[in-house]
Amino acid sequence: MTDTPETPDGAVEPAGPAPDVVRTREGMFGSSGTGDTSGYGRIRRPVAMPGPGAEPLPDGYDGVLARLREALSEHEGAPPFADAVDAVVVVHRGEVTLQVPREHLVAVARLLRDDPQLRFEMCLGTSGVHFPEDPGAELRAVTHLQSITHGRRLRLETRCPDADPHVPSLFAVYPTVDWHERETYDFFGIVFDGHPSLTRIEMPDDWDGHPQRKDYPLGGIGVEFLGAQVAPPESRRSYS
């Protein structure tokens, strides 16, 4: 039995892109080592992200990749498109993601911003993702771009290993990513090289670890903020 569809004339069509399996989830809620005897602890479910897609892109994106290839080939010192974007384009639910190697991220972002046929002039922010079971690509920085001129969005994804969590900062291209990159560094530990002031933005400066990583311990952590004082219960404001 096969999942490969057949055409009316009996010819077999090629299957869609293979998903990117990043980890295997265990148990009903992803917990392990709890002594569960209900049977839920034996559940094994792969966590799969959409795999590489294929052109043509959804409506409204006609010519985007072709123009990006052309702009990169015209740009002095820029690498070929196959190297710069790694030829990985993910199309999922009408949204387009380009996986860009970190060494080419700034050049690709600048061309996406400045080229008149592309004009992704607004950056909506950068966030982080952590897949501890994906060797060599445990950390990912995801940047969302908006073209006000052409009315379309584009997502850039850059991967880096946990052992070398460095990604170039896009502050020089999109200054609005300032606080977004600081937050991603604070919560995921991704170091944005070239950021003018990469410091924690929500956690205390001396905080140990990055709270949104999947290997961060849950519970049992004493939370202390320097200078904080909690009033005794009898002196707190009553809302009754």
Side-chain angles (χ1 to χ4, degrees):
M1 185 174 182
T2 177
D3 294 330
T4 304
E6 293 186 359
T7 60
D9 58 2
V12 177
E13 293 183 349
D20 179 16
V21 179
V22 294
R23 64 189 294 252
T24 300
R25 185 175 180 179
E26 299 181 1
M28 176 171 283
F29 304 105
S31 61
S32 60
T34 60
D36 174 35
T37 58
S38 66
Y40 289 120
R42 291 181 291 177
I43 294 176
R44 301 290 184 272
R45 182 172 63 86
V47 178
M49 305 298 290
E55 299 179 66
L57 300 182
D59 293 340
Y61 289 87
D62 295 340
V64 170
L65 296 186
R67 178 54 197 161
L68 181 56
R69 292 188 185 100
E70 184 180 359
L72 285 168
S73 64
E74 296 171 352
H75 184 65
E76 183 178 356
F81 177 83
D83 294 334
V85 186
D86 204 22
V88 177
V89 181
V90 177
V91 181
H92 183 60
R93 296 183 178 179
E95 298 181 352
V96 180
T97 300
L98 302 183
Q99 293 181 7
V100 185
R102 52 184 173 178
E103 59 268 23
H104 306 315
L105 178 61
V106 175
V108 170
R110 184 171 283 112
L111 287 173
L112 288 170
R113 182 196 66 181
D114 295 343
D115 188 273
Q117 297 181 42
L118 300 174
R119 289 298 290 160
F120 288 91
E121 59 269 80
M122 176 181 287
C123 179
L124 303 176
T126 296
S127 57
V129 189
H130 183 216
F131 294 113
E133 298 179 11
D134 191 10
E138 294 90 349
L139 293 170
R140 307 180 186 186
V142 182
T143 300
H144 301 263
L145 304 180
Q146 169 81 47
S147 173
I148 301 176
T149 301
H150 301 292
R152 54 197 176 204
R153 293 187 179 185
L154 188 66
R155 182 186 296 110
L156 303 181
E157 179 185 294
T158 301
R159 305 182 177 190
C160 62
D162 197 8
D164 183 24
H166 290 263
V167 171
S169 172
L170 290 179
F171 178 83
V173 183
Y174 298 106
T176 53
V177 300
D178 183 356
W179 286 12
H180 297 278
E181 290 183 346
R182 287 180 59 194
E183 183 179 62
T184 304
Y185 161 71
D186 193 356
F187 288 154
F188 290 91
I190 299 177
V191 179
F192 292 91
D193 297 327
H195 189 283
S197 179
L198 192 64
T199 57
R200 290 188 181 271
I201 193 171
E202 295 196 38
M203 306 303 292
D205 292 337
D206 59 351
W207 192 262
D208 185 19
H210 304 281
Q212 287 191 354
R213 292 170 57 103
K214 290 186 174 66
D215 55 5
Y216 192 78
L218 299 177
I221 301 173
V223 179
E224 297 180 3
F225 292 91
L226 297 178
Q229 295 182 355
V230 180
E234 62 273 11
S235 63
R236 298 176 190 172
R237 180 176 178 181
S238 175
Y239 293 92
S240 59

